[in-house]
Amino acid sequence: MFFSCGNNTEAIQKFNQRSEGPSAEGEGVLLKYTDSGKVVATLKTPLIIEYGLVDLAYEEFPEGVAVTFIDDNKKENYITSDYAIRYKRTNLIDLRKNVVLITSDSTRLDASQLFWDQKNKWVFTDKPYTIKFPDDSYNNGDLFDSSEDFKNFISLDNQSRMYVSETATEAPNDSIQ
């Protein structure tokens, strides 16, 4: 028999790591996400459990999250939930139980579950939800698909009250009034 020792530390580390169960845990965590030296988001959670060695790596927040997003104009948006999972490869976040999203213009979304596609800046759910807009408009429904700024919004089986601003415009000279 011949044996050889090599310098393959990555293979040795992988051999020594467990593939089932969490690879890391943290309590009382405050994470700050930066882009070009600016803080763009902060995440607070009582407990984070990372499953980084499984095929579809993810982070679990079994005791909930509170996230603040700061845009280029220093406006803040907030989201909280009692439970969350972040899938690392797809950048999809699954927020569950008492999900509340409040945008910088005071739009408020309440839902039992909300998926957030960070890559495509899209939010969606197939659960009942309520959105209240700053002008007291609202939308209640059973599912929606929307850009994260709620400018492109599709809703199914909903009730809503929307206020539309009417502006007086002059009719063209060749039109019938």
Side-chain angles (χ1 to χ4, degrees):
M1 295 184 128
F2 294 98
F3 293 97
S4 172
C5 292
N7 190 13
N8 192 348
T9 56
E10 184 178 317
I12 293 169
Q13 286 176 346
K14 192 168 189 168
F15 179 76
N16 288 332
Q17 291 177 341
R18 298 183 331 215
S19 60
E20 74 283 343
S23 56
E25 291 185 24
E27 293 180 356
V29 176
L30 172 63
L31 298 173
K32 293 188 179 200
Y33 298 93
T34 59
D35 183 13
S36 303
K38 293 188 287 187
V39 175
V40 294
T42 60
L43 178 144
K44 292 180 187 178
T45 184
L47 179 63
I48 181 174
I49 304 172
E50 185 172 343
Y51 294 86
L53 302 175
V54 296
D55 289 336
L56 184 58
Y58 65 95
E59 296 168 331
E60 182 180 27
F61 305 88
E63 296 179 18
V65 293
V67 184
T68 302
F69 301 96
I70 306 155
D71 68 16
D72 291 337
N73 298 321
K74 299 190 180 185
K75 293 184 179 177
E76 295 183 352
N77 300 304
Y78 306 95
I79 191 161
T80 60
S81 71
D82 292 345
Y83 179 87
I85 295 179
R86 178 180 170 261
Y87 297 96
K88 291 182 166 189
R89 187 181 311 154
T90 61
N91 278 329
L92 183 69
I93 299 175
D94 178 359
L95 301 145
R96 300 181 196 168
K97 301 179 188 171
N98 300 312
V99 180
V100 178
L101 168 67
I102 301 174
T103 64
S104 61
D105 72 352
S106 299
T107 298
R108 179 184 172 117
L109 165 75
D110 291 274
S112 61
Q113 184 173 26
L114 180 69
F115 293 97
W116 177 28
D117 181 343
Q118 289 180 292
K119 181 180 177 185
N120 296 311
K121 299 183 182 238
W122 205 256
V123 293
F124 56 95
T125 187
D126 61 352
K127 305 283 186 209
Y129 70 91
T130 300
I131 298 177
K132 294 179 184 172
F133 297 96
D135 65 355
D136 288 330
S137 298
Y138 68 87
N139 185 286
N140 299 326
D142 289 336
L143 75 84
F144 79 86
D145 225 348
S146 175
S147 58
E148 64 184 27
D149 61 6
F150 297 105
K151 293 199 188 302
N152 295 317
F153 187 87
I154 299 169
S155 179
L156 180 67
D157 194 20
N158 65 33
Q159 297 178 329
S160 65
R161 176 179 61 204
M162 298 290 166
Y163 296 104
V164 179
S165 174
E166 292 186 39
T167 57
T169 58
E170 290 186 29
N173 291 337
D174 61 346
S175 70
I176 301 173
Q177 295 188 18

